[in-house]
Amino acid sequence: MKLSDLFSRWNKQNNPPPEPTLESHEPEIPPNSTIILEEINHAEIAGYPETSFKSQERVYLGEDGQKCKITIKKNPQAAGCGHNLKSPDDVGFISYTSKLPVCKICEQEYYRLRDQTRHENCICRHLVAPHELTYLEGKGFVCEECKRQEKAIKPLKVLGWVFNLLLKSLITEKPQANEEVPNDLTQLPPPRNLPPVSHDQESRP
């Protein structure tokens, strides 16, 4: 790896880029114009004020009496994945890890990744953004919480294996005593001596 690559990586870690912000530049109405209609629509996801949608429409008359219309829209970003949203319907789910909204495109990608590992021993079923998932061999895609739990379980499994091995070496199997027939069992009488059965050797038609 080159020295410049190391420096750029160190610079990104210590100086992360600022989060993108959406700035809406409201067009100005020409002077000496008369506003005849102004309509403002506002919507947001309950509990998440950062996902605030705003649509504003203005109809005015210019100096020459011509009717004009200005439409202003403010579309926020899904804080859980960083993608732009056009309406509250574009939100797919709330991330289990970050507790932030994730768009529907990332929701489709999430289910695609889950479908890839459906035959593996998946240990995580939390709804998180695709960039919050990590692949573990044989365990499928897991979130950060399940990844920490899996790493904590491995030393416990090793300790349990060592404990069982030591326990088995300490346990000695006792020899089994010869099973004796109890005296109180009723013995069957010997078979009676019956006369031999005579067989007719003549051929039958």
Side-chain angles (χ1 to χ4, degrees), residues 16-188:
E19 296 183 358
T21 57
L22 295 179
E23 296 183 359
S24 59
H25 298 281
E26 183 176 344
E28 296 181 357
I29 297 177
N32 300 326
S33 299
T34 304
I35 299 176
I36 59 177
L37 177 64
E38 184 172 8
E39 183 179 355
I40 299 176
N41 296 321
H42 180 79
E44 69 178 30
I45 301 175
Y48 299 92
E50 67 273 6
T51 57
S52 177
F53 300 85
K54 182 180 179 181
S55 175
Q56 185 175 1
E57 186 174 301
R58 287 181 179 179
V59 180
Y60 65 92
L61 294 176
E63 292 182 356
D64 53 356
Q66 187 177 1
K67 185 183 293 186
C68 301
K69 183 173 68 172
I70 296 177
T71 302
I72 304 169
K73 288 186 178 180
K74 177 188 175 184
N75 295 331
Q77 291 180 338
C81 60
H83 293 155
N84 293 335
L85 302 174
K86 294 182 180 179
S87 68
D89 295 334
D90 290 343
V91 176
F93 59 86
I94 304 300
S95 173
Y96 175 82
T97 303
S98 63
K99 310 299 182 185
L100 297 174
V102 180
C103 70
K104 282 194 173 181
I105 296 177
C106 289
E107 181 184 23
Q108 295 176 0
E109 178 67 11
Y110 167 84
Y111 285 113
R112 188 187 68 82
L113 295 175
R114 290 297 189 199
D115 188 63
Q116 285 184 355
T117 58
R118 64 185 183 275
H119 299 300
E120 299 186 22
N121 185 22
C122 299
I123 60 174
C124 174
R125 289 298 178 189
H126 294 143
L127 278 172
V128 295
H131 71 271
E132 296 174 330
L133 290 172
T134 305
Y135 179 74
L136 293 181
E137 187 69 29
K139 302 295 184 180
F141 290 96
V142 298
C143 65
E144 290 297 328
E145 181 178 340
C146 293
K147 183 180 178 181
R148 289 193 297 267
Q149 292 179 0
E150 182 66 18
K151 287 185 177 181
I153 288 175
K154 286 183 179 179
L156 295 177
K157 287 182 178 179
V158 174
L159 290 176
W161 181 77
V162 173
F163 178 76
N164 290 334
L165 187 63
L166 294 175
L167 191 62
K168 287 181 180 180
S169 63
L170 294 176
I171 297 176
T172 56
E173 297 182 357
K174 296 181 179 180
Q176 297 180 356
N178 295 331
E179 296 183 357
E180 297 180 357
V181 179
N183 295 328
D184 56 350
L185 291 179
T186 305
Q187 296 182 357
L188 297 176

